[in-house]
């Protein structure tokens, strides 16, 4: 192999060809050093200026506030978990030490005791509850509740000599061909639908008592209907049934908003919102701390009650309609919605007291009889009706086919005119 050596002049060139770079680097380093020195001097000068200004300001403030002012009194000290030598100057007598007092312990124990007592009340209600299962023939006898993983509660409202009357959410039976109920011990029996009220989303079921084993009947009991009167913001309540979508679960909470008015057809509901977390499949009943039913959980009006809170319809608002359902009857239907006009609203808008009509349903008896939006209903059959609830109390005494005379005040050419309408209820 032949080795070619570089010529001597080429070696000399290699040693010299980077000299121009070295000559350029050296001056550059000097320039950088000069710049850094200038910046350092600038920083020092600025620090001296600001330090002098701060000192002057401090002297001025101290002289104005008084020489005896100790600014250490205004310093917030953070006490570290572990003591160090730097903590020696901290005056221990001035440190506020917090501890759990006996009264705190008693309060916690009392709260725990009350919570357990409330939970026990809710748990005992399992004997008054059933799981309702609607079955559809075209679904190959599949439980309609299983599609969303939820279950629907049923509450035993009445036990007679021959039957159990159960109230449930109408969604459990709508469109089903067969209904069954399952008791606390797993006993499952067929049920028949007595009636459904889609206006309040409630259905009433009947179970033949002879189909229920004696051991189950001995423990099952009907609910105790109470009153929502006295239930205010902060009141303790108990949710049972399937408040979280799981049957026989119990949740404890407080009312956070009371007396929420919800307009429905020919009536008005009073609702309450709680601090208990809701799901799309929450259902069940609400108890007070005496173990009485004061409401039924509803997810139908979340725009008014809140999407993430369990809310309930006051039992006072619907108990008379439930009584009718259990007898196989419904409230006579007129087909309007309205708002109460009190004295203040009447004076402000120059209208009479009564019910301001906010909606009239097409093909309803009200529409067919000539009622229109913005009418003010004043009387029915000569009886003064100043609230929607008063209207409901009149209709509940009527039956389908009855004709009623409704006196309304209507605005005609910038004037209010009294008109009497003839409406045949359905």
């Amino acid at each position: 192999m032949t080795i070619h050596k570089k010529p001597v002049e080429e070696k000399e060139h290699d040693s010299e060809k980077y000299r121009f770079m070295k000559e350029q680097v050296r001056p550059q380093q000097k320039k950088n050093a000069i710049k850094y020195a200038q910046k350092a001097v600038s920083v020092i000068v600025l620090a001296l200026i600001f330090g002098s200004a701060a000192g002057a300001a401090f002297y001025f403030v101290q002289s104005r506030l008084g020489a005896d002012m100790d600014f250490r009194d205004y310093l917030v000290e953070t006490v570290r978990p572990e003591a160090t030598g730097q903590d020696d100057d901290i005056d221990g007598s001035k440190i506020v030490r917090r501890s759990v007092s006996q009264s705190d312990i008693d309060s916690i124990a009392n709260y725990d005791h009350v919570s357990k007592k409330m939970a026990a009340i809710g748990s005992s209600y399992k004997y008054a509850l059933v799981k309702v299962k609607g079955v559809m023939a075209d679904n190959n006898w599949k439980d309609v509740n299983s599609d969303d993983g939820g279950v629907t509660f049923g509450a035993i409202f009445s036990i007679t000599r021959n039957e159990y009357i159960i109230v449930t959410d109408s969604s459990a039976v709508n469109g089903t061909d067969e209904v069954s109920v399952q008791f606390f011990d797993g006993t499952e029996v067929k049920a028949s639908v007595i009636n459904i009220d889609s206006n309040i989303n409630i259905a009433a079921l009947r179970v033949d008592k002879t189909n229920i084993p004696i051991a189950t009947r001995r423990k099952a009991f009907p609910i105790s209907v109470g009153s929502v009167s006295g239930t205010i913001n902060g009141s303790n309540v108990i949710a049972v049934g399937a408040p979280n979508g799981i049957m026989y679960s119990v949740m404890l909470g407080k009312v956070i908003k009371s007396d929420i008015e919800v307009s429905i057809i020919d009536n008005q509901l009073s609702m309450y919102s709680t601090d208990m977390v809701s799901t799309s499949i929450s259902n069940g009943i609400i108890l007070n701390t005496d173990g009485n039913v004061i409401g039924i959980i509803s997810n139908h009006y979340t725009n008014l009650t809140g999407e993430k809170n369990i809310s309930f319809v006051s039992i006072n608002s619907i108990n008379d309609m439930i009584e009718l359902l259990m007898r196989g009857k419904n409230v006579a239907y007129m087909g309007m919605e309205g708002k109460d006009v009190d004295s203040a609203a009447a004076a402000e808008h120059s209208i009479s007291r009564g019910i301001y009509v906010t909606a009239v349903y097409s093909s309803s008896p009200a529409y067919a009889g000539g009622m229109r939006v913005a009418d003010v209903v004043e009387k029915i059959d000569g009886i003064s009706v100043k609230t929607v609830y008063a209207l409901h109390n009149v209709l509940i005494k009527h039956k389908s086919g009855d004709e009623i005379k409704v006196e309304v005040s209507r605005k005609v050419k910038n004037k209010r005119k009294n008109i009497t309408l003839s409406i045949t209820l359905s």
Side-chain angles (χ1 to χ4, degrees):
M1 177 181 293
T2 305
I3 299 177
H4 298 281
K5 295 183 179 181
K6 290 184 180 181
V8 174
E9 61 270 21
E10 192 168 334
K11 287 183 180 180
E12 292 176 356
H13 178 72
D14 285 344
S15 61
E16 297 291 333
K17 67 177 180 179
Y18 296 111
R19 181 173 295 177
F20 76 98
M21 294 182 65
K22 295 177 181 178
E23 291 174 350
Q24 291 179 2
V25 168
R26 290 192 188 106
Q28 187 68 29
Q29 291 175 340
K30 291 180 180 180
K31 289 180 180 180
N32 286 340
I34 294 171
K35 286 184 179 181
Y36 291 146
Q38 290 174 342
K39 288 182 179 180
V41 172
S42 299
V43 170
I44 293 171
V45 171
L46 288 174
L48 291 173
I49 293 173
F50 283 115
S52 301
F58 181 81
Y59 175 79
F60 174 76
V61 172
Q62 190 176 34
S63 62
R64 292 293 298 271
L65 293 179
D68 58 341
M69 179 67 71
D70 187 356
F71 283 93
R72 288 178 296 177
D73 294 338
Y74 295 88
L75 296 179
V76 178
E77 295 179 335
T78 301
V79 181
R80 290 171 291 280
E82 297 181 359
T84 65
Q86 296 177 351
D87 294 328
D88 295 340
D89 59 343
I90 298 177
D91 187 352
S93 62
K94 293 183 179 181
I95 299 176
V96 178
R97 292 178 172 83
R98 299 191 180 276
S99 62
V100 180
S101 66
Q102 186 59 46
S103 62
D104 292 333
I105 294 174
D106 292 341
S107 297
I108 294 170
N110 183 60
Y111 177 80
D112 185 58
H113 172 72
V114 172
S115 296
K116 288 179 179 179
K117 188 174 181 180
M118 290 173 62
I121 293 172
S123 297
S124 69
Y125 248 80
K126 70 179 181 180
Y127 301 111
L129 300 173
V130 296
K131 175 182 176 181
V132 179
K133 301 163 70 176
V135 180
M136 300 176 65
D138 57 359
N139 251 0
N140 295 320
W141 305 102
K142 183 180 180 182
D143 178 5
V144 295
N145 295 315
S146 64
D147 290 336
D148 57 10
V151 296
T152 305
F153 88 103
I156 303 172
F157 262 65
S158 174
I159 299 178
T160 69
R161 177 179 295 181
N162 301 314
E163 59 190 13
Y164 282 37
I165 306 298
I166 295 167
V167 170
T168 185
D169 193 293
S170 59
S171 63
V173 299
N174 281 334
T176 59
D177 298 294
E178 186 176 302
V179 180
S180 67
V181 298
Q182 186 180 79
F183 288 83
F184 58 90
D185 58 1
T187 298
E188 187 169 333
V189 296
K190 288 184 179 180
S192 59
V193 178
I194 301 174
N195 210 347
I196 298 174
D197 190 333
S198 57
N199 197 27
I200 57 173
N201 305 294
I202 296 292
L205 311 177
R206 178 186 292 111
V207 175
D208 191 332
K209 196 172 184 179
T210 59
N211 294 332
I212 306 171
I214 295 176
T216 303
R217 298 202 313 248
R218 284 175 178 168
K219 290 188 175 181
F221 63 85
I223 67 166
S224 174
V225 177
S227 173
V228 78
S229 300
T231 303
I232 59 176
N233 291 348
S235 294
N236 291 304
V237 290
I238 309 165
V240 298
N244 60 351
I246 301 174
M247 195 63 200
Y248 300 116
S249 55
V250 177
M251 296 177 69
L252 310 178
K254 293 181 181 293
V255 171
I256 58 173
K257 187 169 178 58
S258 58
D259 292 324
I260 304 170
E261 295 181 351
V262 177
S263 293
I264 61 173
I265 301 173
D266 301 333
N267 201 355
Q268 183 173 278
L269 300 179
S270 178
M271 297 197 64
Y272 292 73
S273 186
T274 74
D275 60 359
M276 292 178 283
V277 178
S278 174
T279 69
S280 60
I281 52 178
S282 295
N283 64 99
I285 56 178
I286 299 294
L287 312 175
N288 59 18
T289 52
D290 293 325
N292 298 320
V293 175
I294 60 172
I296 296 181
I297 294 174
S298 173
N299 289 327
H300 297 286
Y301 310 102
T302 54
N303 60 315
L304 298 174
T305 60
E307 295 182 356
K308 297 182 179 180
N309 306 89
I310 287 180
S311 60
F312 63 94
V313 180
S314 158
I315 196 68
N316 300 45
S317 297
I318 58 176
N319 197 38
D320 55 357
M321 289 177 277
I322 290 176
E323 292 288 341
L324 281 180
L325 281 176
M326 293 193 297
R327 298 201 304 265
K329 299 180 180 180
N330 286 100
V331 181
Y333 171 66
M334 186 164 68
M336 55 80 71
E337 289 185 23
K339 294 285 187 182
D340 299 347
V341 179
D342 58 18
S343 299
E348 181 180 354
H349 300 285
S350 301
I351 57 178
S352 56
R353 286 197 61 188
I355 305 164
Y356 184 87
V357 179
T358 58
V360 180
Y361 288 80
S362 61
S363 303
S364 69
Y367 187 84
M371 185 178 291
R372 297 295 181 263
V373 172
D375 285 350
V376 177
V377 178
E378 298 177 348
K379 294 180 180 181
I380 296 179
D381 290 336
I383 301 173
S384 177
V385 286
K386 291 183 170 59
T387 65
V388 176
Y389 191 67
L391 167 70
H392 166 73
N393 284 337
V394 171
L395 295 179
I396 204 170
K397 298 173 184 176
H398 285 274
K399 61 182 183 298
S400 177
D402 288 354
E403 182 179 274
I404 59 175
K405 300 295 182 180
V406 181
E407 296 180 31
V408 303
S409 172
R410 180 177 296 172
K411 189 174 183 180
V412 179
K413 294 182 180 180
N414 297 323
K415 292 183 179 180
R416 304 298 301 189
K417 181 179 179 180
N418 290 331
I419 300 173
T420 300
L421 308 174
S422 294
I423 298 177
T424 303
L425 302 174
S426 65

